[in-house]
Amino acid sequence: MADNSQYTEDNIRSLDWKEHIRMRPGMYIGKLGDGSSADDGVYILLKEVIDNCIDEFVMGAGKTIEIRIKDGLVKVRDYGRGIPLGKVVDVVSKMNTGGKYDSRAFKKSVGLNGVGTKAVNALSSFFEVQSARDSQIKTAEFSQGILLKELGPVESSQRKGTKVTFRPDEAIFKKYKYRNEYVERMLKNYVYLNPGLTIDFNGQKFYSENGLKDLLEDNNNVDDFLYPVIHLKGDDIEVAITHSKTQYSEEYHSFVNGQNTTQGGTHQTAFREALVRTIREFYGKTYDPSDIRKSIISAIAVKVMEPVFESQTKTKLGSTDMGGDLPTVRTYINDFVGKYLDNYLHKNPEVAEALQRKILQAERERKELSGIRKLAKDRAKKASLHNKKLRDCRIHLGDTKKDRNLESTLFITEGDSASGSITKSRDVNTQAVFSLKGKPLNSYGMSKKIVYENEEFNLLQAALNIEDSMEDLRYNNIVIATDADVDGMHIRLLLITFFLQFFPELIKENHLYILQTPLFRVRNKKETIYCYSEEERGNAVKKLTGKPEITRFKGLGEISPDEFVHFIGADIRLEPVMLDKAMSIDDLLSFYMGKNTPDRQKFIIENLKVEIDLVEESQ
């Protein structure tokens, strides 16, 4: 059969830099999102701009960064050297243009590929860059990467430095919103890694004197620390270590050149190895690695010359060398930890004794659990996990060790009808579904043994692949999808209790969410509006002409797959589960899941009032 399709020079097209970024934004900033997740694109845009300010601080130019975010408009001002005035337009609009190619100026910077602010520019409906230096100022204004205005240079008395103002393009970041909690966490990490730097965010100032030591103490309940934080610093490395009295799993915060490598990499792997080797040599015992690292809370930051990351969003270090005349990452970290941690333990015998007791306790518990764990793994295999409880997504099928994809999501549902609707509506490439059978067990106050003995918890743990380490977590987003009624809220609390009790890092690292689904459907012959609250329903009724039909969804199972696809697709609404830093995990669990004290009853009644009213109204 003749091929009638034409393939000529006219079919070959070259995209300019801004067209390519806008067509393939994921290549430059990872996933898009609406701001409900900490790794959504709007935060990457902010980070790319701040990274340039941090580079100025590292070079000794400017000790303060001012950030203002209001109604989606972002302003970032540093007091560094300012962009050379003749290159202001080029550095934000010409690919492979920047000062970081000159290693004499930026030896250990995060952004070395000359893309950063170009991506922000192309993905913003409004972008303005202003540079002040040499008693002059120059301004350039863009929209979607297109230069609209270029003013100056003109004489100015402004302090030197750079100011970038941008508004993410809503055509790409639909209904986005910056969450202060995520921005503040990012900014705190910046000051932990750069002692002496002040960041002013909407009038609130962030500053750190003790680096990673402050990070561990600010992010955890200090009373739960087994011993004071061990804080070790070298020329290109900083380490902070302690162990929790109550936490089961390992917790790591890792950084490269100021970048938070949430998926670890060669430096984090080397640190875990170095810790085990040093502890074994200090005590002269071949303790099991899992016993040494159990309950560890730690942070490591290294500076690498021209680092290589495994993605544009720089969440995992791929470099094996430190750069220059330094040894490999593994050797460098092993040598540092081996020397300085060993010295610390010799000088602080009370810490060494507490640590050894913790290791021996972990060893006893592991041996007690070994038989149960083996049986649990056998049960998981026999249950045909990937066919019955878990309907996996294609990027993971047959590969439990595959690197975590930022878009990968696991929905945890209850009931056949709800799981069926989500399964039929989901994106089979990135979205998986785990179906619960009835209400989960209240695990508050129980030991890790219950995770292996309880079939639901055992299979859920296996699906997430988090038994040994958070590094192996298979899904970036874990979404609790339950009905918006009292029973659904109870299941949410039970699942959150399970994660807080045994895997709190899932919540600390912003992996756990609640799926928001509509309570009402309001429609007439021309338009359908889905409403997530009574207020939205009222507005929808006013908007639609005539007498619209109003449907109250009593449960997820009542929403057809054809409709459900809207709620777990591009317009998905996720509410992140976050920890209140003012309350310890133990106190939190005791309040929510302990005995029914009057305070707890009052809290639940007040916070479930909307759901209770809706249930009564529908009956």
Side-chain angles (χ1 to χ4, degrees):
M1 183 180 292
D3 184 1
N4 295 322
S5 63
Q6 297 297 313
Y7 181 54
T8 68
E9 288 88 346
D10 293 336
N11 297 112
I12 308 299
R13 182 185 174 203
S14 296
L15 300 177
D16 72 6
W17 67 276
K18 56 185 176 294
E19 288 179 309
H20 192 269
I21 292 174
R22 290 181 64 82
M23 183 177 289
R24 299 283 187 268
M27 291 177 60
Y28 299 90
I29 62 167
K31 69 176 185 176
L32 299 179
D34 62 358
S36 59
S37 178
D39 50 24
D40 281 349
V42 290
Y43 302 107
I44 304 301
L45 299 185
L46 174 62
K47 188 188 81 65
E48 292 289 358
V49 175
I50 297 176
D51 279 347
N52 290 337
C53 305
I54 296 297
D55 288 332
E56 289 297 297
F57 170 80
V58 170
M59 296 300 295
K63 294 184 178 180
T64 301
I65 300 171
E66 295 172 351
I67 301 170
R68 298 291 182 268
I69 301 178
K70 184 177 181 181
D71 299 329
L73 184 69
V74 180
K75 299 178 181 180
V76 180
R77 169 66 151 108
D78 70 35
Y79 295 90
R81 296 164 296 179
I83 303 168
L85 301 185
K87 294 291 185 179
V88 168
V89 172
D90 289 355
V91 298
V92 299
S93 63
K94 285 189 177 180
M95 296 297 278
N96 306 316
T97 302
K100 299 174 188 177
Y101 295 106
D102 183 354
S103 61
R104 293 171 300 175
F106 294 96
K107 290 184 178 179
K108 292 161 187 173
S109 172
V110 169
L112 293 170
N113 51 18
V115 173
T117 50
K118 268 75 82 176
V120 184
N121 187 356
L123 298 174
S124 297
S125 56
F126 173 84
F127 180 93
E128 180 185 83
V129 58
Q130 188 176 80
S131 176
R133 59 183 282 164
D134 306 323
S135 299
Q136 292 183 307
I137 191 168
K138 180 164 183 176
T139 304
E141 181 183 323
F142 299 78
S143 178
Q144 299 179 354
I146 300 170
L147 179 63
L148 301 180
K149 296 179 184 177
E150 186 177 354
L151 304 174
V154 296
E155 295 299 315
S156 172
S157 59
Q158 279 196 33
R159 286 178 61 186
K160 65 181 179 180
T162 303
K163 178 181 178 182
V164 172
T165 305
F166 69 93
R167 183 184 297 279
D169 192 344
E170 288 200 66
I172 294 174
F173 306 97
K174 301 182 187 303
K175 299 179 181 178
Y176 76 89
K177 175 185 176 184
Y178 279 99
R179 289 180 178 268
N180 285 347
E181 299 93 336
Y182 291 150
V183 176
E184 289 172 7
R185 171 177 286 197
M186 180 196 303
L187 302 184
K188 285 179 180 178
N189 283 341
Y190 276 121
V191 298
Y192 294 142
L193 296 165
N194 298 278
L197 170 69
T198 297
I199 298 182
D200 181 332
F201 172 51
N202 287 351
Q204 182 179 3
K205 293 186 178 181
F206 299 94
Y207 180 87
S208 171
E209 289 187 3
N210 302 305
L212 297 185
K213 179 176 183 288
D214 288 341
L215 186 156
L216 295 194
E217 292 178 347
D218 291 349
N219 283 277
N220 296 276
N221 176 19
V222 178
D223 292 336
D224 187 48
F225 289 172
L226 184 66
Y227 51 85
V229 174
I230 300 172
H231 191 204
L232 311 172
K233 296 184 73 173
D235 290 338
D236 290 305
I237 186 170
E238 181 181 359
V239 169
I241 306 167
T242 188
H243 278 74
S244 166
K245 296 175 185 175
T246 59
Q247 186 169 303
Y248 283 95
S249 48
E250 306 169 26
E251 180 178 328
Y252 300 95
H253 304 266
S254 65
F255 304 86
V256 175
N257 297 6
Q259 166 64 33
N260 186 4
T261 44
T262 53
Q263 289 189 284
T266 53
H267 60 316
Q268 186 167 309
T269 300
F271 173 62
R272 296 174 77 224
E273 291 175 355
L275 184 77
V276 170
R277 183 181 62 82
T278 303
I279 295 297
R280 283 175 165 178
E281 290 180 358
F282 178 81
Y283 295 111
K285 303 283 187 181
T286 55
Y287 293 126
D288 190 273
S290 65
D291 297 332
I292 294 172
R293 296 193 300 248
K294 181 183 178 183
S295 307
I296 192 173
I297 301 174
S298 59
I300 178 172
V302 295
K303 294 179 180 178
V304 177
M305 192 175 293
E306 299 188 358
V308 176
F309 296 94
E310 295 191 3
S311 70
Q312 168 61 21
T313 51
K314 309 180 183 82
T315 55
K316 188 173 185 179
L317 180 67
S319 298
T320 56
D321 295 316
M322 294 291 290
D325 57 358
L326 293 174
T328 65
V329 170
R330 187 167 182 256
T331 300
Y332 184 80
I333 293 175
N334 262 282
D335 290 348
F336 175 82
V337 173
K339 177 180 178 180
Y340 290 96
L341 179 57
D342 182 79
N343 287 345
Y344 184 94
L345 293 175
H346 275 102
K347 293 177 181 178
N348 297 272
E350 70 285 353
V351 172
E353 291 172 8
L355 178 54
Q356 188 173 38
R357 286 196 299 270
K358 183 72 174 177
I359 293 170
L360 293 173
Q361 177 188 342
E363 184 179 61
R364 287 192 299 269
E365 292 175 354
R366 175 176 56 82
K367 289 178 178 178
E368 290 173 1
L369 281 173
S370 61
I372 298 173
R373 289 177 66 176
K374 186 178 183 304
L375 288 173
K377 287 184 177 181
D378 289 343
R379 285 205 310 270
K381 290 178 182 178
K382 291 178 181 177
S384 299
L385 178 65
H386 294 291
N387 295 323
K388 293 185 178 179
K389 300 296 292 184
L390 176 68
R391 296 170 180 85
D392 213 346
C393 48
R394 287 175 179 166
I395 61 171
H396 283 322
L397 284 176
D399 186 4
T400 59
K401 294 295 183 182
K402 188 177 181 69
D403 285 342
R404 190 163 68 246
N405 183 292
L406 291 179
E407 298 283 356
S408 59
T409 299
L410 178 69
F411 292 101
I412 304 175
T413 67
E414 189 274 325
D416 294 336
S417 56
S419 62
S421 291
I422 293 182
T423 299
K424 293 175 183 176
S425 308
R426 66 183 174 133
D427 177 348
V428 295
N429 291 309
T430 60
Q431 295 177 331
V433 181
F434 184 93
S435 180
L436 292 170
K437 184 180 179 181
K439 286 185 180 179
L441 181 71
N442 182 355
S443 60
Y444 171 61
M446 296 185 178
S447 69
K448 189 67 175 288
K449 181 181 178 182
I450 194 65
V451 179
Y452 301 101
E453 291 182 334
N454 181 273
E455 182 180 10
E456 296 293 305
F457 288 160
N458 178 39
L459 295 178
L460 180 55
Q461 172 186 257
L464 294 171
N465 199 41
I466 52 177
E467 177 183 351
D468 298 318
S469 171
M470 277 301 117
E471 283 189 318
D472 299 327
L473 177 65
R474 300 181 74 232
Y475 306 94
N476 196 54
N477 308 307
I478 302 161
V479 180
I480 299 174
T482 58
D483 292 342
D485 57 16
V486 178
D487 285 341
M489 180 65 76
H490 190 203
I491 293 173
R492 291 180 192 177
L493 285 173
L494 292 170
L495 285 169
I496 292 172
T497 298
F498 166 70
F499 289 121
L500 280 174
Q501 182 84 3
F502 302 112
F503 306 103
E505 315 89 283
L506 284 175
I507 298 176
K508 289 182 180 180
E509 296 174 13
N510 303 119
H511 292 297
L512 189 63
Y513 300 86
I514 303 296
L515 176 66
Q516 301 295 312
T517 52
L519 298 173
F520 303 98
R521 179 183 62 211
V522 181
R523 66 183 178 185
N524 58 18
K525 293 181 179 180
K526 295 183 178 180
E527 186 177 0
T528 299
I529 301 176
Y530 296 99
C531 309
Y532 291 75
S533 66
E534 287 276 8
E535 182 181 0
E536 288 187 17
R537 181 183 71 165
N539 292 335
V541 170
K542 292 177 183 177
K543 179 181 178 182
L544 298 184
T545 57
K547 188 176 181 182
E549 171 193 302
I550 301 174
T551 301
R552 164 74 165 96
F553 295 120
K554 297 180 182 179
L556 302 187
E558 294 187 0
I559 304 176
S560 70
D562 290 340
E563 288 182 299
F564 222 122
V565 71
H566 300 297
F567 316 133
I568 60 173
D571 296 327
I572 190 171
R573 293 195 190 185
L574 296 177
E575 188 67 30
V577 177
M578 296 182 175
L579 281 175
D580 182 353
K581 297 295 189 298
M583 185 181 286
S584 70
I585 290 177
D586 193 54
D587 290 340
L588 195 67
L589 288 174
S590 177
F591 180 76
Y592 279 108
M593 307 310 292
K595 294 181 179 179
N596 285 325
T597 62
D599 285 344
R600 176 173 175 262
Q601 290 176 0
K602 181 174 181 289
F603 177 88
I604 291 177
I605 289 171
E606 288 177 352
N607 284 271
L608 289 183
K609 187 175 188 303
V610 173
E611 282 82 0
I612 291 172
D613 287 348
L614 290 174
V615 170
E616 290 174 348
E617 177 187 310
S618 66
Q619 291 175 346

